[in-house]
Amino acid sequence: MKNKIRALLFVIVIVVGMVAMMAAPKTIDVPNVFELIDQVNVKIDGEFVQFSDAKPFIDSNNRTQVPFRVILEKFGAKVTWNNEEKIAIAEKDGTKVEVPIGKSYVCKNGKKVENDTAALIKEGRTYLPIRVVMESFGCKVGWDNETRTVLITTKDNVNVNVDTPEQ
């Protein structure tokens, strides 16, 4: 009798499980693992910057490129675009940084600051090499390799840790 009850319970469990599987959705929305691995984050004074469709990435020179407008507006800079010369411009507290597309330098208050990578346009968005631009505004820039996060400390908030070098 005990064996018959066990067999009956076993059959019931299997039938209920099969019904549950058939009622479950056929597709599951799982994040793309490769996107998560490649994801680059940015923090300004300890606060994550939120990005919509344009995301930071590591370029072919192993440097972090970030969407120009999102970062600079979060930083509090006024941003403009010179379409004729393809130059992104950011201004804050008397500092003007011009970022020409395709050139391995930026101009800080009219003086050229060399860099080892260039700003670019990708999928209609302007991306800038984060370190050289933010350092031109007097910020410290670091890199947390474990979390793939660019750490930006403004001159107004010098207590945020940026020990490790940014890529």
Side-chain angles (χ1 to χ4, degrees):
M1 179 78 165
K2 271 186 170 177
N3 287 340
K4 288 184 180 181
I5 292 174
R6 284 184 188 165
L8 181 61
L9 287 174
F10 179 73
V11 170
I12 291 172
V13 168
I14 290 179
V15 169
V16 169
M18 290 175 60
V19 169
M21 285 180 23
M22 292 170 56
K26 300 298 181 223
T27 59
I28 299 172
D29 188 20
V30 177
N32 183 335
V33 173
F34 296 108
E35 284 181 15
L36 294 176
I37 291 170
D38 290 339
Q39 181 175 328
V40 175
N41 302 297
V42 178
K43 280 185 175 180
I44 298 178
D45 292 333
E47 185 179 325
F48 279 104
V49 177
Q50 299 298 316
F51 298 95
S52 56
D53 55 340
K55 308 279 187 208
F57 65 94
I58 307 296
D59 70 12
S60 60
N61 293 321
N62 204 31
R63 297 293 178 246
T64 304
Q65 296 274 351
V66 299
F68 177 77
R69 182 171 298 278
V70 173
I71 290 294
L72 274 298
E73 286 181 348
K74 176 73 175 176
F75 174 61
K78 176 187 169 208
V79 298
T80 55
W81 172 251
N82 178 332
N83 194 45
E84 198 171 295
E85 297 182 42
K86 303 290 187 233
I87 298 174
I89 304 162
E91 297 177 79
K92 182 179 178 183
D93 299 332
T95 300
K96 180 178 183 179
V97 179
E98 298 172 285
V99 185
I101 301 303
K103 307 292 184 191
S104 294
Y105 65 86
V106 300
C107 292
K108 175 185 176 184
N109 295 331
K111 288 187 170 182
K112 195 183 279 190
V113 178
E114 296 292 331
N115 195 32
D116 57 359
T117 196
L120 55 94
I121 296 176
K122 177 180 172 186
E123 297 173 2
R125 301 283 186 154
T126 302
Y127 288 82
L128 62 96
I130 188 73
R131 177 178 289 282
V132 70
V133 174
M134 297 311 291
E135 286 180 348
S136 293
F137 281 106
C139 297
K140 291 185 179 182
V141 180
W143 173 255
D144 181 337
N145 199 45
E146 188 175 313
T147 62
R148 297 179 52 85
T149 302
V150 176
L151 305 168
I152 300 169
T153 306
T154 65
K155 56 188 167 194
D156 299 331
N157 196 349
V158 294
N159 294 327
V160 177
N161 183 8
V162 291
D163 291 336
T164 54
E166 189 262 335
Q167 292 192 11

